[in-house]
Amino acid sequence: MAVDVKAWDASRPPAPELIEDCVHCGFCLPTCPTYALWGEEMDSPRGRIALMALGHEQPELSSEMVTHFDRCLGCMACVTACPSGVQYELLIQETRPQIERNFERSRADRLFRRLIFATFPHPGRLRALVPALAAAHRLGIDRLAARRGGLLERTPRLRTMVSLAPEVRPRDAVRRLPVHTPPAPGRASRGPVGFLQGCVQRVFFGEVNRATVRVLAAEGWEVYAPARPRCCGSLQQHTGYEEAAQARARETIAAFEDCQAVVVNAAGCGSGMKDYGHLLAGDPQWSARAERFAAKVRDVHELLGEHEPAAPRHPVPLRVAYHDACHLAHAQGIRTQPRELLRSIPGLELVEPAEWELCCGSAGVYNLLEPRTARDLAARKADNLLATGAEAIVAANPGCALQIAAELERRGRPLPIHHPMELLHRSIGGA
C-alpha cells in the first residue's frame, strides 16, 4: 500500500484554512520588502502562501521553495496591509519549523546557524566578547574586516556579523539592574510589574534597560527585573527552532507568572512573548499558562500609553526621525503610542521618514543569514531616514538600532540612535 508522504509533517503544518483566506488581491505587494526589491511573485506574501499550499501536495521540500521562505523577513507588513485578515504571521511561524525538521541544509549553513544561537541568546557569552570588540574598535580592525574588499569579503555572513558589532564599554556590559526598583519617592504606586531584561538588550543596550526602569519608577510602578530568564526565545521562535524557543518560553513564563503585567522594551521580544499561546498550544501542561501569560505582556510604550503621565517632562530640543520596528508596528500593532510619548516631550520635533512600513533588514537574525538582501534594505532605510534632516533617530528594537547604525557608519554619516525610553528618561530627569 502506497504511503501518502507530503513535504509538511503532521506537527502543525501551515493550516489549510488559513492558506485559503488569501484571495491573492495584491495589497500586500508594495509593503513586502523582498517584493519591493525584486518584484518576484514567489518572494511576495501571496507567492509564499501558494508555496505553503504546494507543501501539502508534493512529497518533499525543494531547495527553491526553502530559498523563497528563507528570504521572508517575517516583518508582518503584509499583515498590516491585508484587507482580508490573512494571518500570515501564523502561517510563516508554522512553516519555519517544518523546514528545519524536513530539509537538509548545507553543513556550512548549519554550522553558522549553530554559532548564532550558541552566542546571541546567552548574555554571559556576549559579555565575554565585549573586551575583544572594544579592542577591535580601538584598533580599527572591525572596519577593515567589514568593508567591501576587506578581510572578510568572501564570507559575507561573518563580515556582516563584524560590521554590526556595537561599541560597548566593558564596564557598561557588566553592570546589573537591581532586581527590585520601587516607585520614585513621592509617587503614588501603580503596582508591581515584571520587566524582561533580554539577551542582546541587556549586554549591548544596558542603558536602554536602565532608562526604562527609571521611567517606569518615575511613573509610579514597582519594577521586578530578575536576572533570569536570560532570553525569551524569540530569536529561535522567529527562525524556526521551535523546541529551543519552547524551552525558553516555559522558563520565561515561570519567572514572571505571578506578575500582573510583564513589560518589554524590545519589539522582537514582545512580539514573541505575546505569541507564546500559539508556540505552546500543543503542550497540555503549558498551553493554558502560556495563553494567560501572553495576555499580560505589554510593550513599555503600550503600558505607558494606557495611563496618564505622572512625572513632569522637561524640554529636550532635538529633531528626531522615528523608525517603526516591524515587530512593534506590524506584529503588535503599536504605532501611535511611541509617537505620542515622544510628542509629550517639550522641544522635541518628530519627523516621519518615507516608506515607514518597509523593514530595515534586521528582522531578528535575518541580516546575518541573508546579508546581501539585508544590506539593500538597510541602504533604502538609511536614504529615507537621512532625507528627513533629523539630528537623531529613534528606534525601539536593538536589532534595528544595530542595522541602521552600521549602514550610516558605512556612509560616513553616523547619527545618534536612541530608544524612546532614553529620551523620555532624559526629559523626566531634566538633563
Side-chain angles (χ1 to χ4, degrees):
M1 181 178 178
V3 178
D4 187 20
V5 179
K6 303 299 182 187
W8 308 135
D9 61 37
S11 177
R12 296 204 298 180
E17 61 272 18
L18 297 184
I19 291 174
E20 292 169 2
D21 286 339
C22 179
V23 297
H24 303 277
C25 66
F27 278 90
C28 60
L29 299 182
T31 68
C32 176
T34 50
Y35 188 84
L37 287 177
W38 309 318
E40 294 289 339
E41 179 67 19
M42 288 301 102
D43 288 310
S44 73
R46 69 181 185 184
R48 293 184 178 109
I49 289 174
L51 292 177
M52 294 172 192
L54 188 61
H56 285 284
E57 301 171 3
Q58 68 178 37
E60 62 182 17
L61 284 168
S62 68
S63 59
E64 290 81 8
M65 290 175 68
V66 172
T67 295
H68 292 304
F69 289 130
D70 283 350
R71 287 175 177 171
C72 175
L73 292 97
C75 68
M76 308 309 166
C78 56
V79 175
T80 299
C82 181
S84 302
V86 175
Q87 298 180 69
Y88 184 83
E89 72 279 15
L90 298 183
L91 287 170
I92 195 64
Q93 286 175 34
E94 290 169 344
T95 298
R96 295 206 194 279
Q98 291 278 342
I99 293 171
E100 300 311 314
R101 290 195 299 267
N102 299 308
F103 181 76
E104 184 70 15
R105 296 189 181 277
S106 70
R107 176 178 172 82
D109 195 7
R110 294 197 306 272
L111 289 175
F112 187 74
R113 289 167 182 264
R114 190 177 301 169
L115 171 65
I116 289 173
F117 292 112
T119 306
F120 288 95
H122 302 275
R125 298 174 190 177
L126 290 176
R127 287 192 178 102
L129 292 174
V130 166
L133 293 175
H137 277 293
R138 285 197 301 271
L139 298 173
I141 296 173
D142 57 331
R143 292 184 291 277
L144 290 174
R147 71 185 183 186
R148 291 190 185 274
L151 300 176
L152 299 177
E153 174 64 28
R154 296 188 179 183
T155 53
R157 284 179 165 181
L158 286 176
R159 186 182 70 201
T160 299
M161 186 178 286
V162 170
S163 72
L164 290 172
E167 188 170 3
V168 181
R169 293 180 299 183
R171 67 174 179 269
D172 290 335
V174 298
R175 289 179 66 184
R176 300 296 200 270
L177 280 178
V179 175
H180 290 95
T181 301
R187 196 75 70 220
S189 176
R190 283 173 163 162
V193 294
F195 174 65
L196 178 84
Q197 296 192 44
C199 46
V200 172
Q201 188 83 311
R202 86 171 77 189
V203 178
F204 293 153
F205 296 92
E207 191 54 44
V208 173
N209 278 355
R210 288 185 283 275
T212 302
V213 170
R214 291 166 184 162
V215 167
L216 289 170
E219 293 294 337
W221 277 282
E222 176 187 349
V223 183
Y224 169 60
R228 290 182 178 272
R230 304 296 190 192
C231 172
C232 66
S234 293
L235 286 177
Q236 294 96 325
Q237 181 182 357
H238 295 148
T239 315
Y241 292 85
E242 193 171 56
E243 289 187 7
Q246 289 169 338
R248 294 189 180 278
R250 295 184 190 102
E251 183 183 7
T252 304
I253 293 169
F256 291 107
E257 204 158 21
D258 294 334
C259 297
Q260 66 181 31
V262 183
V263 181
V264 191
N265 65 0
C269 299
S271 169
M273 292 164 67
K274 287 181 178 181
D275 197 48
Y276 278 177
H278 179 256
L279 179 65
L280 295 172
D283 188 328
Q285 295 182 344
W286 286 86
S287 59
R289 295 170 68 180
E291 289 283 359
R292 290 193 296 269
F293 176 87
K296 297 191 294 185
V297 177
R298 291 286 184 277
D299 178 79
V300 65
H301 309 92
E302 184 181 21
L303 179 74
L304 293 173
E306 292 170 352
H307 299 81
E308 289 295 320
R313 272 60 164 163
H314 300 89
V316 178
L318 192 64
R319 179 182 172 90
V320 302
Y322 179 72
H323 161 71
D324 281 279
C326 294
H327 278 105
L328 193 63
H330 300 308
Q332 299 184 61
I334 297 173
R335 293 181 286 275
T336 61
Q337 297 94 321
R339 288 172 167 85
E340 290 173 352
L341 288 170
L342 291 170
R343 291 190 181 107
S344 74
I345 299 174
L348 192 78
E349 181 186 356
L350 182 63
V351 294
E352 299 284 351
E355 296 186 326
W356 69 269
E357 71 281 358
L358 284 184
C359 184
C360 68
S362 173
V365 296
Y366 183 92
N367 51 1
L368 302 179
L369 296 173
E370 303 286 339
R372 292 184 175 90
T373 305
R375 188 161 179 174
D376 288 343
L377 290 169
R380 189 162 177 159
K381 180 63 67 174
D383 286 341
N384 289 325
L385 289 168
L386 290 171
T388 65
E391 301 168 289
I393 296 165
V394 182
N397 193 58
C400 300
L402 293 174
Q403 176 80 345
I404 295 168
E407 177 61 26
L408 295 176
E409 184 69 30
R410 278 192 290 267
R411 295 171 178 229
R413 298 186 65 183
L415 288 177
I417 300 180
H418 304 293
H419 191 286
M421 291 303 105
E422 292 180 289
L423 295 178
L424 197 56
H425 173 245
R426 187 186 303 181
S427 176
I428 290 173

